[in-house]
Amino acid sequence: MNYRTMIAALALGASLDAQMPKFAPPVRLEAGGKLLGAERLYPSPVYHDVNGDGLADIVVGDLRGHLTVALREAGTGIPRFAAETPLNGADQRPLDFENW
Amino acid sequence: MSPQFVDFNADGHLDIVAGIFDGSPHLSRGSAAGFRPPEQILDKDGHRIVLNQFWNFAAEQWETTTRCDLPGASGKGHLTSALAFDWEGDGDFDLLLGDHKSGRVFRRVNEGTNAKSVFSTKNEPVLADGRAIDVPGTVATLRLVDWNRDGRPDLLASSMGDAYGEQSGGGVYLFLNGGSEKTPLYAAPLTLVEASPKGQAAPTRPDSGLYADIADHDGDGDLDLLVGAYSHWSIRPPVLTSEQKQRVKEIKAEQKAIEDGFDAIFDAIGKATAGLDQKAARKKSAELRAEKVEELKALTARRHAASQKLAPFDPSPKRESFIWLYENLAASPAR
């Protein structure tokens, strides 16, 4: 490796390092005093402002095709979430992605 | 499933796009009244969009097709995640499809518009670093994020890992986009969360079936990671007295008798359905199970009770689902 190649490689490494985050050890989230995602089959969370209050709520899908919403409570500090409720469709019944 | 909120049909209402376990992407259309019942997203020939395996709702059985394969495809793909993404920057949503059976990601091009989508019929592999993407641990879900705030959507992929065994679990990976608005060009993945080695004595992290999303969770200006998954752990068993050891022996004998009871029922069902086609076998199996429902309920209750009795002496491996937050501590490029 000549010195130009070496410098380029080092610069690429430094660039990648700068893009790597440092995460705190993971913590389990709660909603309404219960562990979020507990007893769900393959819970798949996604951030989405469901009630249009400007705060990102958490919608949780699962293997069965069900969706629940944990609304973020207003306030400062550590985000807190209300108990999960089903995400309803236009017919006011829980939205159900029909599954196998 | 992996829900995505996006105005897929450009009518001013957010819709939900989701790949689900039946092997196809689905769309729940948003409206002024709310979300409509989900429907399958079809290709330009009116066929379901699939990789290979899919659940045939009419025949009530799993089927496999290669009609969407390009040369070199494995023929064993199973789509369980889908992501709407304007790949070519032409103003309409294309689809990215994640393969739960491998680490591959595929693309379906929208040759129409958002209002009238016209999806191509073949699964084109998505490349990273010049090769077909191969997410370690097979694809659980896909998300878009502009991680380095360069205006180009990067691809976040999280993986299944070994869901039940002792092999490595899943991780979370980021493919940075070094291409242009019209031509995404993904680099080799950066590892945001290492594949789980498992083997913990307590739930300390997401281990398998990792479904990730990314956003500024705590409002501090950087991107945090949200991960739904199973955690696997094993509690170290206590040292038992001779009396407790005897008790364990008795409970295990009881458990064996219970499992023998289950085996007898299911062996009988297996014999009765042998040689039937899938649909007939399912019907016959359901009938026989209905006949034995009270017996099965009693066995299930006994199984649960025995497990509870054994737990203090012989803790079994745990596998439970949670949603985890990885708080970003660094001044990420998104700050």
Side-chain angles (χ1 to χ4, degrees):
Chain A
M1 181 185 293
N2 65 36
Y3 80 95
R4 287 179 191 279
T5 309
M6 189 179 294
I7 288 170
L10 288 171
L12 176 63
S15 168
L16 290 177
D17 282 348
Q19 314 216 43
M20 292 304 293
K22 288 180 182 166
F23 291 116
V27 294
R28 286 178 287 183
L29 291 182
E30 292 188 357
K34 293 183 177 174
L35 287 166
L36 188 58
E39 299 178 9
R40 299 285 292 275
L41 289 176
Y42 292 92
S44 53
V46 61
Y47 289 105
H48 175 61
D49 180 6
V50 173
N51 55 0
D53 64 356
L55 302 172
D57 310 304
I58 297 177
V59 176
V60 183
D62 64 22
L63 179 71
R64 295 191 186 281
H66 300 160
L67 295 155
T68 56
V69 181
L71 292 175
R72 185 179 300 230
E73 297 174 349
T76 55
I78 297 171
R80 296 173 62 86
F81 296 89
E84 289 176 86
T85 56
L87 178 65
N88 288 336
D91 58 2
Q92 300 308 311
R93 296 169 62 185
L95 195 60
D96 186 2
F97 278 70
E98 186 182 4
N99 216 324
W100 50 284
Chain B
M1 72 180 298
S2 54
Q4 177 193 16
F5 289 84
V6 61
D7 186 4
F8 190 69
N9 54 4
D11 65 354
H13 299 287
L14 278 181
D15 312 302
I16 301 175
V17 170
I20 68 172
F21 200 72
D22 76 350
S24 290
H26 290 240
L27 172 68
S28 170
R29 297 175 190 269
S31 70
F35 294 107
R36 302 293 181 191
E39 58 196 80
Q40 291 168 352
I41 301 174
L42 304 177
D43 69 17
K44 64 183 177 186
D45 292 338
H47 294 137
R48 280 176 65 174
I49 292 174
V50 299
L51 296 182
N52 301 108
Q53 295 178 28
F54 65 98
W55 178 254
N56 184 327
F57 285 93
E60 296 188 347
Q61 61 186 18
W62 287 103
E63 292 182 3
T64 299
T65 178
T66 55
R67 68 176 162 77
C68 309
D69 285 356
L70 287 174
S74 74
K76 297 175 182 172
H78 181 184
L79 172 172
T80 56
S81 56
L83 185 71
F85 172 28
D86 183 4
W87 177 273
E88 313 105 320
D90 61 355
D92 59 54
F93 287 115
D94 309 291
L95 286 170
L96 293 187
L97 313 173
D99 184 3
H100 143 78
K101 293 285 188 180
S102 77
R104 306 290 188 208
V105 177
F106 299 90
R107 180 169 60 110
R108 289 294 184 103
V109 178
N110 185 354
E111 298 164 359
T113 63
N114 284 333
K116 189 169 176 54
S117 55
V118 178
F119 286 103
S120 58
T121 58
K122 299 292 182 187
N123 300 314
E124 298 179 36
V126 175
L127 308 183
D129 197 25
R131 289 172 291 191
I133 282 182
D134 190 4
V135 177
T138 81
V139 180
T141 198
L142 303 167
R143 301 286 183 200
L144 294 175
V145 59
D146 184 3
W147 175 257
N148 49 8
R149 284 199 168 175
D150 64 357
R152 294 173 289 198
D154 308 308
L155 185 63
L156 184 79
S158 53
S159 65
M160 298 298 296
D162 183 4
Y164 292 98
E166 294 178 356
Q167 302 298 310
S168 291
V172 182
Y173 306 92
L174 178 71
F175 296 83
L176 291 173
N177 181 357
S180 67
E181 187 189 352
K182 300 281 184 187
T183 312
L185 196 61
Y186 291 108
L190 302 175
T191 301
L192 298 189
V193 174
E194 294 278 357
S196 170
K198 299 184 183 168
Q200 303 297 315
T204 58
R205 59 158 288 169
D207 291 311
S208 73
L210 275 66
Y211 284 78
D213 195 22
I214 194 163
D216 183 1
H217 180 88
D218 47 13
D220 65 355
D222 55 29
L223 292 171
D224 309 299
L225 205 54
L226 187 67
V227 183
Y230 284 93
S231 294
H232 303 230
W233 71 98
S234 296
I235 300 165
R236 190 169 293 169
V239 177
L240 302 181
T241 64
S242 56
E243 194 175 299
Q244 287 171 326
K245 285 179 184 170
Q246 178 58 31
R247 182 73 184 122
V248 167
K249 202 172 170 183
E250 290 165 5
I251 298 169
K252 287 193 170 177
E254 184 185 348
Q255 285 182 316
K256 184 175 183 312
I258 294 165
E259 297 309 317
D260 286 348
F262 276 112
D263 287 347
I265 293 172
F266 288 111
D267 283 351
I269 292 174
K271 282 176 187 164
T273 56
L276 300 177
D277 64 36
Q278 270 195 60
K279 193 171 181 179
R282 281 171 60 86
K283 187 167 180 288
K284 184 72 176 171
S285 174
E287 288 169 2
L288 295 173
R289 284 170 67 98
E291 286 174 16
K292 295 283 184 183
V293 68
E294 292 305 322
E295 206 172 327
L296 286 167
K297 276 184 187 172
L299 283 168
T300 302
R302 285 177 59 199
R303 177 193 264 170
H304 180 70
S307 172
Q308 295 288 98
K309 282 188 276 187
L310 189 63
F313 308 118
D314 187 16
S316 56
K318 307 288 184 189
R319 180 180 182 272
E320 295 183 16
S321 59
F322 306 108
I323 291 175
W324 297 81
L325 173 70
Y326 284 82
E327 184 190 352
N328 192 341
L329 298 176
S332 80
R335 187 182 285 278

